[in-house]
């Protein structure tokens, strides 16, 4: 299993391995989307847009830090491309440091989250932003391989870690 | 017909071809192409072969062929030959037994079976086949053969005398397989009951008794046979033959004395079952042994089941011996428990239960116990100083009375003068607040038997109690008492209790019980007029409405009564009283519209139109306020379809649903709207006037309108599944995951996720957002996080 590089007890994942990036930059969270009049009219059809996809993944937790991917600028709205007509979505994400060993796990979390939330008609690709990771090609290949993703999701330990990352937060 | 060819095939063939080939032969025989004789001749070389397995094959071919021949096809003569043949096979090698047994079973099914030959073949089996040394399946075949003999060959079995009984005993004795045993027990009862057992009575009983009490635990993966199945089948077998009596009761008593709970329960059941076949003299004789054991169980056990079963058994046995001179035994029971009859004794309750259960057994026992025990309890009551003790003492007394009245009509008994004092004790309890409820309950039992003097006292007590403030439980007891009382003495109750001057303030209990009495013919007019008068005078109208609502709800299908109420102008009285009341209160408003809705609902459409005509003018004459709107709702909520409605009703409902700040009113208004949408002719026009912006109120309205539309199957109904309706539903789904335990959610997980997969592609982004959120939460149900 190539994807699950660290075969550790997921509950102790923080204590067992050294943090790759101990001091990441933390950015501000974007505001909630404002609701337009058109959105309230039941007769108008709303297309999927990049903000909608962004809203889905921005709250995913970083596996290492108690921060969201948005706060670390791992995902950004302008790095999402969506084509409603062709049912295509491309999400690019930026690891905090070029040698980040968590890159695959983060990519996998994004993919799983979108897989679970989006309609089946969309074909979702998740990639590392070009030039931001040492083994960019390898990570992209792993994330793009359907078989490997499916196999990874059968892994009990791995799915537990991913679930921790994408677990929805209860609203007050 | 070419047998040899088929037989050769059979010899070398596989399991699958075996049946088809046999069927081929039997079809040939049935169609007359060949005879059974020819078959046997051709089979000859198998049947006489030196190899056992060849002989076995030969017989199984014959079995298979016989199975598929019609049961009336073979003649007695032919069958005689076959019986002779099969009988001789039991002399053969033991490996042949299984096929020979199944062949015998098939033969017994033929219509022309040669009856005189039965003993011949059975003797052969009994003599040569040791049943308990055979495989389970073969034992089962033997039991099937025996069952058929017992059911279809009664005379022949009789004629075999003790040979059959002996053979059966040997075959059955020691059976260990639960499936076989259950099958066996099913017909053993018939056998032991109908056939003479000769000197095997004891042996057969012992064979059966060895299973008692059944100790069998169903294997976990097998839910076919339970211990109870076996126990329930065994018990009737042990009691089937009157000659089993002595041994059976000794067996039950021996096992009752053990410490195992199932042994006790089975023994009690056995003692009860025995009552149906054994002689009463036997129980008389054994009673001195039975009573101490039952007494021990009742007084000492911790298990409520054993206690109840013991009571049942005691009652059954006492009832059984009541045909004999049993008073000595009952005296014995009384003497045993008499010492416990003090209210602070730990065993007081159980002891009284024993007495009551004995009294319930028969008239003889009941009268005897009343005569013996009543004076004792009366004495204790007199000596008793504490109030709570008093009620404790009166309870068994009343229970005893219940039994007593099953056999006696009056309390007037020369032998037991104390009987007349029982009502006095109950009336005494009414004087104290702590024992009031119990007193009311007890006196309700005694009502049919009260003499006029006691009734006078009771009526004045009731009048007094009505003015007291009592709790809900007591109130219910009081009402029950009044209903019973009014059923037996309608006139008296009317003039002695319901005479309170209507000028004065009427107690709640009074008004409340009226609602229950309306079904009694003598009371109907009185109830209606009392309620109406109060409404007209506008006194205590809130209480009246509350009880009137109860009345109407209880009588919602009683068309005549509802019609009478309307004709006596109830609607008008409610209208006036309600509109003139000072405040707008939710409770009263609910009462008002419920009464009105139920009154109107059952009427025919012309009459409904007439009612509407009468009231609409009054309602719309003045400015619409909360109260008139409630009345409007009450009148229109349950109309028939044909009734034409004034357009103004929509306008009012629509306006209130939009403008009112009172949640209750808005709720009523939207319900009315939904209701109207379901019925009116011109829905389109109506919908166009109310399809407007999303607000919290209009959400509620949309729900009800949508419901109305969908219920009438309106083509555009689902289009009304408003944006906000969808959003709220999804929010609700999300909320489920946080409030309910996973255990409850899991069964729905896949169904919900499947449905949500559609919702996440909704045309509205706001809906999608909620759907995605809901999906994210539902994915996590049952997942390890």
């Amino acid at each position: 299993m190539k994807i699950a590089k660290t075969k550790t007890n997921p509950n102790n994942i923080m204590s067992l391995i050294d943090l790759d990036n101990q001091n990441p930059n933390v950015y501000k969270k974007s505001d909630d989307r404002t609701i337009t009049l058109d959105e309230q009219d039941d007769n108008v059809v709303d297309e999927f847009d990049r903000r909608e996809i962004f809203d889905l993944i921005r709250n995913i937790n970083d596996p290492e830090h108690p921060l969201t991917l948005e706060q670390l600028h791992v995902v950004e709205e302008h790095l999402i491309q969506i084509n409603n007509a062709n049912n295509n979505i491309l999400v690019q994400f930026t690891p905090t440091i070029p040698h980040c060993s968590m890159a695959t796990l983060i990519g996998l979390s994004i993919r799983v989250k979108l897989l679970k939330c989006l309609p089946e008609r969309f074909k979702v690709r998740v990639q590392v932003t070009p030039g931001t990771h040492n083994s960019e090609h390898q990570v992209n290949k792993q994330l793009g391989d359907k078989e490997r993703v499916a196999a990874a999701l059968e892994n009990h330990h791995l799915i537990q870690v991913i679930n921790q990352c994408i677990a929805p937060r209860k609203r007050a | 017909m070419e047998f040899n060819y088929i037989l050769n095939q059979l010899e070398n063939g596989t399991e699958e071809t075996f049946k088809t080939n046999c069927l081929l032969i039997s079809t040939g025989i049935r169609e007359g192409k060949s005879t059974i004789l020819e078959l046997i001749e051709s089979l000859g070389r198998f049947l006489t072969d030196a190899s056992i397995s060849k002989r076995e094959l030969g017989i199984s071919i014959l079995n298979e062929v016989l199975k598929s021949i019609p049961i009336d096809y073979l003649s007695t003569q032919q069958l005689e030959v076959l019986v002779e043949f099969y009988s001789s096979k039991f002399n053969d090698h033991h490996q042949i037994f299984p096929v020979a047994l199944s062949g015998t079973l098939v033969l017994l099914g033929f219509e022309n079976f040669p009856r005189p030959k039965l003993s011949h073949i059975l003797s052969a089996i009994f003599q040569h086949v040791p049943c308990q040394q055979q495989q389970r399946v073969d034992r089962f075949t033997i039991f099937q053969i025996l069952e058929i003999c017992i059911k279809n060959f009664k005379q022949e079995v009789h004629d075999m005398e003790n040979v059959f009984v002996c053979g059966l005993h040997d075959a059955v004795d020691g059976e260990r397989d639960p499936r076989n045993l259950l099958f066996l027990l099913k017909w053993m009862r018939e056998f032991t009951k109908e056939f003479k057992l000769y000197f095997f009575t004891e042996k057969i009983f012992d064979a059966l008794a060895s299973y008692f009490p059944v100790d069998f635990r169903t294997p976990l993966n097998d839910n076919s046979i339970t211990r109870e199945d076996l126990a329930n089948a065994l018990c009737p077998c042990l009691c089937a033959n009157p000659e089993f009596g002595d041994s059976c009761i000794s067996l039950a008593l021996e096992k009752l004395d053990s410490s195992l709970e199932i042994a006790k329960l089975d023994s009690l059941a056995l003692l009860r079952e025995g009552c149906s076949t054994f002689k009463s003299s036997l129980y008389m004789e054994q009673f001195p042994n039975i009573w101490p054991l039952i007494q021990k169980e009742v007084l000492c056990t911790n298990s409520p089941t054993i206690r109840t079963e013991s009571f049942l058994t005691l009652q059954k046995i006492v009832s059984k011996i009541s045909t004999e001179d049993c008073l000595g035994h009952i005296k014995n029971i009384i003497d045993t428990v008499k010492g416990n009859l003090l209210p602070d004794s730990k065993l007081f309750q159980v002891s009284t239960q024993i007495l009551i259960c004995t009294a319930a057994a028969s008239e003889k026992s009941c009268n005897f116990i009343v005569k013996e025990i009543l004076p004792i309890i009366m004495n204790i009551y007199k000596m008793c100083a504490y109030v709570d003790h008093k009620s404790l003492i009166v309870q068994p007394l009343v229970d005893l009375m219940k039994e007593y009245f099953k056999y006696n009509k009056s309390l007037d008994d020369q032998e037991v003068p104390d009987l007349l004092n029982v009502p006095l004790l109950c009336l005494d309890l009414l004087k104290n607040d702590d024992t009031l409820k119990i007193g009311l309950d007890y006196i309700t039992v005694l009502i049919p038997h009260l003499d006029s003097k006691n009734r006078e006292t009771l009526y004045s007590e009731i009048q007094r109690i009505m003015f007291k403030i009592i709790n809900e439980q007591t109130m219910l007891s009081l009402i029950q008492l009044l209903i019973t009382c009014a059923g037996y003495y309608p006139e008296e109750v009317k003039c002695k209790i319901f005479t309170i001057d209507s000028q004065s303030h009427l107690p709640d209990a009074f008004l409340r019980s009226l609602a229950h009495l309306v079904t009694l013919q003598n009371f109907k007019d009185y109830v209606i007029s009392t309620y109406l008068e109060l409404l007209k005078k506008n006194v205590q109208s809130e209480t009246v409405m509350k009880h009137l609502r109860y009345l109407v709800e209880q009588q919602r299908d009683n068309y005549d009564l509802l019609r009478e109420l309307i004709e006596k102008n109830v609607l008008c009285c409610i209208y006036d009283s309600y509109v003139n009341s000072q405040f707008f209160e939710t409770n009263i408003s609910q009462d008002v519209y419920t009464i009105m809705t139920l009154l109107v609902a059952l009427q025919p459409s012309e009459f409904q139109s007439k009612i509407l005509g009468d009231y609409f003018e009054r309602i719309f004459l003045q400015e619409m306020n909360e109260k008139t709107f409630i009345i409007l709702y009450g009148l229109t909520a349950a109309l028939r379809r044909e009734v034409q409605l004034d357009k103004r009703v929509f306008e009012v409902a629509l306006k209130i649903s939009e403008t009112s700040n009172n949640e209750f009113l808005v709720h009523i208004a939207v319900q009315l709207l939904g209701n109207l949408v379901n019925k009116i002719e011109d829905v389109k026009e109506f919908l166009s006037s109310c399809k407007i912006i999303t607000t919290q109120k209009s959400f509620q309205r949309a729900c009800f309108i949508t419901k109305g539309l969908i219920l009438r199957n309106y083509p555009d109904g689902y289009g009304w599944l408003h944006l906000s309706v969808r959003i709220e539903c999804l929010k609700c789904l999300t909320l489920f995951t946080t409030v309910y335990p996973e255990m409850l959610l899991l069964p729905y997980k896949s169904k919900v996720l499947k449905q949500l997969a559609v919702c996440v592609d909704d045309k509205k982004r706001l809906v999608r957002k909620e759907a995605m959120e809901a999906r994210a939460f539902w994915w996590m149900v049952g997942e390890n996080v």
Side-chain angles (χ1 to χ4, degrees):
Chain A
M1 180 72 48
K2 275 192 174 173
I3 283 177
K5 252 186 166 176
T6 45
K7 276 215 169 174
T8 51
N9 181 347
N11 298 329
N12 303 332
I13 197 161
M14 306 279 271
S15 55
L16 283 177
I17 51 168
D18 293 334
L19 296 181
D20 276 351
N21 185 355
Q22 300 201 337
N23 232 341
N25 294 330
V26 180
Y27 303 88
K28 196 174 161 288
K29 272 163 84 172
S30 49
D31 295 328
D32 278 349
R33 181 175 197 152
T34 44
I35 298 171
T36 61
L37 270 179
D38 266 0
E39 280 178 348
Q40 292 182 41
D41 185 345
D42 207 6
N43 297 319
V44 180
V45 175
D46 306 329
E47 293 282 347
F48 278 82
D49 62 7
R50 50 167 66 156
R51 175 64 203 241
E52 195 173 350
I53 309 295
F54 180 64
D55 277 343
L56 272 177
I57 56 177
R58 69 184 176 127
N59 284 325
I60 295 177
N61 300 311
D62 184 87
E64 285 184 340
H65 307 283
L67 295 165
T68 65
L69 296 187
E70 179 190 22
Q71 286 167 314
L72 295 167
H73 270 202
V74 175
V75 293
E76 284 166 283
E77 194 179 337
H78 67 90
L79 288 176
I80 297 172
Q81 291 170 33
I82 176 159
N83 185 333
N84 270 294
N86 296 339
N87 295 333
N88 257 326
I89 294 175
L90 173 64
V91 178
Q92 295 190 324
F93 67 99
T94 320
T96 47
I97 38 167
H99 54 272
C100 178
S101 63
M102 292 287 142
T104 334
L105 186 63
I106 293 172
L108 205 54
S109 300
I110 297 175
R111 241 199 107 136
V112 172
K113 174 82 187 183
L114 292 178
L115 205 69
K116 285 182 175 175
C117 289
L118 285 176
E120 283 170 37
R121 64 185 168 99
F122 283 105
K123 179 175 164 39
V124 182
R125 282 178 302 150
V126 179
Q127 294 181 347
V128 179
T129 319
T132 57
H133 198 270
N134 292 345
S135 39
E136 172 191 330
H137 180 66
Q138 210 183 345
V139 174
N140 284 347
K141 201 174 163 192
Q142 285 189 6
L143 288 174
D145 189 336
K146 259 202 293 197
E147 302 293 320
R148 285 207 220 180
V149 173
L153 295 187
E154 306 259 305
N155 183 322
H156 183 68
H157 290 301
L158 190 58
I159 195 71
Q160 248 183 325
V161 182
I162 294 175
N163 278 343
Q164 273 174 6
C165 294
I166 63 172
R169 249 161 278 191
K170 300 196 171 157
R171 277 187 283 200
Chain B
M1 189 165 185
E2 198 42 71
F3 278 128
N4 282 334
Y5 172 69
I6 305 178
L7 290 177
N8 279 339
Q9 269 205 329
L10 278 170
E11 191 177 358
N12 308 316
T14 57
E15 292 250 328
E16 292 100 61
T17 54
F18 179 78
K19 280 208 169 163
T20 21
N21 280 322
C22 288
L23 204 65
L24 216 60
I25 301 175
S26 67
T27 323
I29 294 176
R30 219 171 350 172
E31 285 168 359
K33 285 179 195 157
S34 59
T35 63
I36 192 98
L37 195 69
E38 284 168 27
L39 171 69
I40 295 177
E41 273 173 3
S42 317
L43 274 174
R45 63 184 169 95
F46 287 103
L47 299 177
T48 53
D49 200 290
S51 141
I52 298 167
S53 47
K54 282 270 171 65
R55 292 207 299 278
E56 198 185 343
L57 176 71
I59 298 172
S60 29
I61 294 172
L62 190 58
N63 286 350
E64 199 62 34
V65 173
L66 286 174
K67 260 189 220 165
S68 41
I69 290 181
I71 53 164
D72 56 352
Y73 188 82
L74 295 179
S75 69
T76 312
Q77 236 173 347
Q78 285 171 319
L79 284 164
E80 249 175 52
V81 178
L82 285 168
V83 170
E84 196 58 48
F85 168 73
Y86 276 100
S87 307
S88 68
K89 285 296 125 187
F90 292 113
N91 264 330
D92 204 329
H93 191 268
H94 68 83
Q95 210 176 313
I96 304 293
F97 292 167
V99 279
L101 284 171
S102 15
T104 312
L105 188 60
V106 180
L107 282 185
L108 283 169
F110 280 97
E111 268 182 14
N112 296 324
F113 185 88
R115 292 183 164 258
K117 284 272 175 192
L118 183 78
S119 63
H120 180 62
I121 196 163
L122 281 182
S123 309
I125 297 178
F126 289 151
Q127 198 177 344
H128 299 292
V129 187
C131 175
Q132 288 302 321
Q133 287 170 27
Q134 308 301 312
Q135 299 278 317
R136 185 194 88 80
V137 190
D138 303 326
R139 295 204 303 272
F140 191 71
T141 316
I142 296 180
F143 296 148
Q144 275 177 304
I145 292 173
L146 291 175
E147 189 201 14
I148 292 181
C149 295
I150 289 167
K151 292 218 161 123
N152 302 344
F153 297 88
K154 290 201 162 101
Q155 190 53 47
E156 286 72 18
V157 170
H158 261 296
D159 294 345
M160 284 175 75
E161 297 187 350
N162 57 16
V163 178
F164 184 87
V165 188
C166 171
L168 181 131
H169 171 261
D170 290 347
V172 164
D173 194 15
E175 177 58 46
R176 296 166 312 275
D177 188 90
R179 287 161 291 185
N180 280 358
L181 190 60
L182 190 63
F183 174 76
L184 173 90
L185 289 173
K186 275 183 189 151
W187 51 261
M188 263 312 244
R189 173 161 182 253
E190 204 177 324
F191 173 73
T192 44
K193 197 171 158 185
E194 289 182 19
F195 292 88
K196 198 165 173 233
L197 300 181
Y198 302 92
F199 42 82
F200 286 96
T201 315
E202 208 170 309
K203 274 193 160 187
I204 296 240
F205 181 82
D206 285 345
L208 292 167
S210 62
Y211 299 108
F212 186 88
V214 176
D215 180 17
F216 170 65
R217 209 164 286 165
T218 316
L220 275 179
N221 48 2
D222 180 12
N223 48 10
S224 46
I225 295 179
T226 63
R227 193 203 83 83
E228 276 61 40
D229 290 339
L230 289 168
N232 292 340
L234 178 64
C235 184
C237 290
L238 291 171
C239 306
N241 192 318
E243 286 182 53
F244 289 166
D246 271 326
S247 349
C248 182
I249 289 185
S250 318
L251 174 74
L253 292 180
E254 180 196 328
K255 301 296 177 189
L256 184 59
D257 207 15
S258 88
S259 54
L260 210 64
E261 181 163 333
I262 52 160
K264 290 177 194 240
L265 288 176
D266 279 5
S267 307
L268 289 168
L270 190 59
L271 282 174
R272 283 202 301 277
E273 181 77 27
C275 288
S276 51
T277 38
F278 303 149
K279 284 187 189 134
S280 48
S281 55
L282 178 67
Y283 276 96
M284 275 295 282
E285 200 180 296
Q286 289 283 351
F287 197 80
N289 301 327
I290 299 175
W291 164 238
L293 283 173
I294 290 192
Q295 179 209 346
K296 192 186 106 196
E297 289 312 321
V298 171
L299 297 183
C300 308
T301 186
N302 288 324
S303 149
T305 336
I306 291 189
R307 186 167 289 169
T308 347
E309 296 275 305
S310 307
F311 277 134
L312 273 178
T313 313
L314 177 64
Q315 188 175 335
K316 189 109 193 208
I317 294 175
V318 172
S319 140
K320 176 88 185 169
I321 59 171
S322 285
T323 51
E324 310 260 330
D325 183 20
C326 63
L327 294 184
H329 290 323
I330 296 176
K331 183 93 174 86
N332 195 357
I333 298 180
I334 296 175
D335 289 344
T336 324
V337 296
K338 207 156 67 177
N340 301 329
L341 290 181
L342 285 169
D344 31 13
S345 152
K346 257 190 201 161
L347 296 173
F348 177 75
Q349 228 158 4
V350 192
S351 303
T352 55
Q353 265 177 307
I354 293 179
L355 289 172
I356 287 157
C357 138
T358 316
S362 70
E363 180 173 0
K364 209 181 206 174
S365 64
C366 179
N367 288 342
F368 186 70
I369 288 198
V370 168
K371 195 174 127 193
E372 293 283 313
I373 287 298
L374 203 66
I376 302 179
I377 298 187
M378 286 296 191
N379 252 335
I380 304 169
Y381 186 86
K382 273 179 208 150
M383 291 187 294
C384 178
Y386 304 106
V387 175
D388 47 342
H389 279 176
K390 282 189 174 178
S391 66
L392 208 63
I393 302 168
V394 179
Q395 192 194 352
L397 211 54
V398 172
D399 288 339
L400 206 56
M401 284 300 107
K402 278 188 201 163
E403 300 304 331
Y404 181 78
F405 289 133
K406 281 184 193 159
Y407 309 106
N408 301 278
K409 296 230 156 40
S410 138
L411 287 171
D412 199 4
D413 189 325
Q414 296 294 324
E415 280 191 58
V416 200
D418 271 337
L419 274 171
L420 289 170
N421 292 327
V422 177
L424 297 179
L425 299 194
C426 296
L427 287 171
D428 200 29
L429 291 177
L430 298 181
K431 298 212 166 74
N432 192 311
D433 281 354
D434 294 332
T435 54
L436 181 56
K437 183 187 149 37
I438 301 172
L440 289 168
D441 289 342
Y442 293 166
I443 205 100
T444 311
V445 178
L446 299 179
I447 276 189
H449 312 282
L450 291 184
D451 62 17
S452 59
K453 198 173 144 230
N454 284 332
R455 290 204 297 272
E456 286 295 333
T457 328
L458 175 65
Y459 298 146
S460 58
E461 282 296 328
I462 291 179
Q463 281 206 333
R464 186 181 63 80
I465 296 165
M466 273 189 173
F467 281 95
K468 287 170 75 138
I469 296 167
I470 48 180
N471 64 26
E472 179 64 15
Q473 293 305 318
T474 317
M475 175 73 97
L476 290 177
S477 298
L478 176 62
I479 289 173
Q480 191 53 48
L481 173 62
L482 277 169
I483 295 173
T484 320
C485 216
Y488 282 100
Y489 316 104
E491 283 311 315
E492 279 182 30
V493 171
K494 214 158 138 185
C495 7
K496 302 266 167 69
I497 300 182
F498 292 104
T499 50
I500 307 174
D501 185 3
S502 56
Q503 299 300 321
S504 57
H505 184 88
L506 293 173
D508 193 38
F510 182 93
L511 292 171
R512 189 165 167 180
S513 40
L514 283 182
H516 291 264
L517 294 176
V518 75
T519 42
L520 296 172
Q521 198 51 44
N522 315 34
F523 281 87
K524 193 178 73 185
D525 292 337
Y526 176 71
V527 173
I528 298 178
S529 63
T530 314
Y531 279 167
L532 280 183
E533 206 171 315
L534 288 171
L535 284 174
K536 272 184 200 151
K537 280 192 268 175
N538 209 357
V539 207
Q540 292 180 274
S541 44
E542 291 170 23
T543 329
V544 174
M545 300 263 209
K546 194 170 83 187
H547 299 318
L548 191 56
R549 173 179 173 180
Y550 176 83
L551 186 154
V552 177
E553 277 176 337
Q554 292 300 307
Q555 307 293 326
R556 58 170 71 208
D557 297 323
N558 186 343
Y559 173 78
D560 290 334
L561 182 71
L562 297 183
R563 181 70 177 235
E564 189 176 342
L565 282 170
I566 296 181
E567 275 165 3
K568 288 200 170 158
N569 252 339
V570 168
L571 286 172
C572 188
C573 294
I574 296 175
Y575 185 112
D576 291 336
S577 155
Y578 177 59
V579 170
N580 295 328
S581 62
Q582 252 180 325
F583 306 103
F584 175 70
E585 275 175 60
T586 318
N587 290 348
I588 306 165
S589 307
Q590 276 170 342
D591 292 340
V592 167
Y593 72 69
T594 315
I595 298 173
M596 290 190 144
T597 314
L598 289 171
L599 281 177
V600 174
L602 225 55
Q603 307 305 321
S605 46
E606 308 89 60
F607 195 67
Q608 288 185 342
S609 302
K610 186 176 165 295
I611 298 174
L612 291 190
D614 291 351
Y615 287 92
F616 271 21
E617 287 322 305
R618 284 185 67 183
I619 294 174
F620 287 108
L621 207 61
Q622 43 199 310
E623 189 153 338
M624 184 63 60
N625 61 22
E626 306 99 325
K627 286 181 187 159
T628 38
F629 179 66
I630 289 290
I631 289 175
L632 191 67
Y633 175 72
L635 288 172
T636 52
L639 292 178
R640 288 176 194 274
R641 210 189 180 109
E642 306 83 51
V643 179
Q644 288 296 322
L645 258 185
D646 202 309
K647 249 191 170 175
R648 285 175 293 183
V649 182
F650 303 98
E651 286 158 17
V652 171
L654 201 56
K655 194 171 150 218
I656 289 188
S657 77
E658 275 164 22
T659 55
S660 174
N661 291 323
N662 184 324
E663 237 176 75
F664 169 68
L665 263 187
V666 173
H667 188 70
I668 297 287
V670 295
Q671 270 191 39
L672 182 56
L673 277 175
N675 197 334
L676 294 173
V677 161
N678 188 0
K679 284 180 196 150
I680 46 163
E681 300 275 319
D682 191 10
V683 196
K684 269 217 173 116
E685 190 198 328
F686 167 69
L687 287 181
S688 60
S689 64
C690 72
K691 205 165 188 171
I692 23 173
I693 33 111
T694 328
T695 64
Q696 192 53 41
K697 273 178 211 155
S698 70
F699 163 65
Q700 225 187 32
R701 190 175 62 200
C703 292
F704 276 96
I705 292 183
T706 313
K707 187 179 159 199
L709 286 173
I710 289 174
L711 278 179
R712 72 179 279 177
N713 221 350
Y714 185 69
D716 197 22
Y718 288 92
W720 265 81
L721 281 180
H722 209 272
L723 176 70
S724 44
V725 178
R726 304 203 293 276
I727 292 177
E728 293 301 319
C729 289
L730 289 164
K731 275 189 183 160
C732 186
L733 269 178
T734 310
L735 194 66
F736 285 164
T737 63
T738 57
V739 286
Y740 290 118
E742 288 197 333
M743 190 178 68
L744 294 179
L745 297 168
L746 263 178
Y748 299 101
K749 181 174 173 180
S750 65
K751 201 174 166 188
V752 172
L753 286 177
K754 210 172 149 195
Q755 284 295 317
L756 285 176
V758 182
C759 303
V760 291
D761 213 359
D762 196 278
K763 63 177 176 180
K764 296 310 297 172
R765 185 170 297 127
L766 292 173
V767 179
R768 292 202 292 265
K769 191 178 149 217
E770 292 303 331
M772 289 171 183
E773 170 110 359
R775 211 154 184 257
F777 273 99
W778 275 87
W779 268 111
M780 290 301 161
V781 172
E783 294 286 326
N784 237 335
V785 184

